[in-house]
Amino acid sequence: MSDAILQLEDVESGYGELQVLWGVSLQVKPHGMTTLVGANGAGKTTLLRAATGSISAWRGRVRFDGEDVTRLSAHDKASRGLILVPEGRQLFNDMTVEENLELGAYAKRARQKFSTSLERVYNYFPRLKERRDQKAGTFSGGEQQMLAVARGLMADPKVLIIDELSLGLSPLLTQQLFGTLRELKSEGLTILLVEQNLHLALALSDYAYVLAEGRLHSQGPSREVARDPEVRKAYMGV
Ligand code: ATP
């Protein structure tokens, strides 16, 4: 038996006629951070979508927390604790911070913990607490990303999947958000991360997978992947 909490086996998927993933297998171990690396268009977002159910896996299996969830809807996967913070944030701009957070906790399991989760989230992001009545659409990019992560946490994730955490953010805000991820990780949250800033992502994560043209190119402990000359040249600009 694998000790992974999330496991993809030979997953193929894509959009209409376009096949993007060609038999990808990966494992996310509990209480750690896994990073998914790859060039633009390699299929990282597609992989996260196929795992969380916003698109379906054409072939292969997705197992989560001991269960085959391949055919479950995104909603059913989310209620079991498989939560995606999507690229582009997808907040409700006309709603306030707190309303967005309430929507994050829609599943039954999450609703029961609503008050504790809200307190916890405001503790991580005091800025959101200060602005709880402000409309999300009036937020800066950095604040919106905080809110997107916070909304993910409100769903009481067993695995939190984050697509492009630092996209469009200043280096300072990126550092701050990574600081929060470090805390979440030290509290035992399981995280799967797609991130452009590989220096930060690989420094914090435990294990990394490199995706190239819809196939797994390589994998290993993040420290080793960060030293791989090919990865450094292709994705880290060194
Ligand atoms: P990036 O770092 O640029 O976000 P990525 O590795 O996340 O890249 P994907 O977004 O998964 O890559 O895209 C993989 C391929 O799938 C690309 O060729 C892209 O054009 C295509 N694609 C992505 N989303 C859709 C969609 N909704 N409909 C059709 N094709 C799509």
Side-chain angles (χ1 to χ4, degrees):
M1 259 299 268
S2 157
D3 60 348
I5 182 159
L6 174 65
Q7 193 171 11
L8 272 63
E9 292 169 18
D10 242 355
V11 167
E12 298 189 11
S13 188
Y15 309 91
E17 298 284 293
L18 175 71
Q19 179 155 3
V20 175
L21 302 175
W22 301 82
V24 179
S25 300
L26 64 79
Q27 297 196 345
V28 173
K29 299 273 167 72
H31 314 302
M33 188 188 290
T34 305
T35 300
L36 184 59
V37 179
N40 287 342
K44 304 179 297 295
T45 297
T46 305
L47 182 71
L48 302 187
R49 288 183 182 143
T52 53
S54 59
I55 62 172
S56 58
W58 297 352
R59 296 189 52 180
R61 302 242 147 271
V62 181
R63 290 181 204 284
F64 177 62
D65 206 14
E67 187 185 2
D68 184 338
V69 297
T70 318
R71 301 280 157 242
L72 294 189
S73 66
H75 182 276
D76 285 340
K77 289 183 190 176
S79 0
R80 283 160 169 78
L82 185 60
I83 303 298
L84 175 66
V85 177
E87 190 179 5
R89 290 135 205 176
Q90 297 177 17
L91 299 167
F92 292 94
N93 287 335
D94 290 334
M95 293 188 174
T96 65
V97 166
E98 199 147 303
E99 286 165 347
N100 270 279
L101 292 175
E102 280 167 19
L103 285 175
Y106 68 87
K108 190 170 166 217
R109 208 165 51 88
R111 269 203 315 272
Q112 288 164 346
K113 294 193 185 167
F114 179 77
S115 319
T116 340
S117 301
L118 193 64
E119 198 177 324
R120 180 168 170 245
V121 154
Y122 280 152
N123 210 19
Y124 283 124
F125 302 107
R127 194 165 181 82
L128 295 182
K129 186 172 185 181
E130 284 163 23
R131 298 175 174 226
R132 65 213 293 173
D133 296 321
Q134 192 173 325
K135 295 256 166 75
T138 63
F139 265 22
S140 70
E143 290 163 339
Q144 290 192 1
Q145 189 60 304
M146 275 181 206
L147 180 52
V149 172
R151 185 185 54 184
L153 291 172
M154 290 301 294
D156 191 27
K158 285 186 187 159
V159 174
L160 187 67
I161 303 185
I162 307 177
D163 196 0
E164 303 284 12
L165 181 70
S166 77
L167 195 72
L169 303 190
S170 69
L172 183 63
L173 268 172
T174 303
Q175 290 280 358
Q176 283 176 359
L177 273 174
F178 265 90
T180 308
L181 282 198
R182 177 171 289 115
E183 277 180 59
L184 289 167
K185 186 185 168 205
S186 70
E187 288 181 5
L189 182 67
T190 309
I191 300 168
L192 171 60
L193 182 67
V194 166
E195 170 60 36
Q196 299 279 329
N197 189 326
L198 277 195
H199 292 279
L200 285 175
L202 293 177
L204 185 57
S205 69
D206 306 293
Y207 201 83
Y209 290 90
V210 182
L211 196 65
E213 295 175 6
R215 292 181 166 87
L216 264 194
H217 174 272
S218 53
Q219 59 176 289
S222 299
R223 224 177 302 126
E224 286 171 25
V225 171
R227 281 200 299 258
D228 179 338
E230 226 180 290
V231 168
R232 292 172 72 80
K233 187 156 170 272
Y235 311 113
M236 298 172 87
V238 284

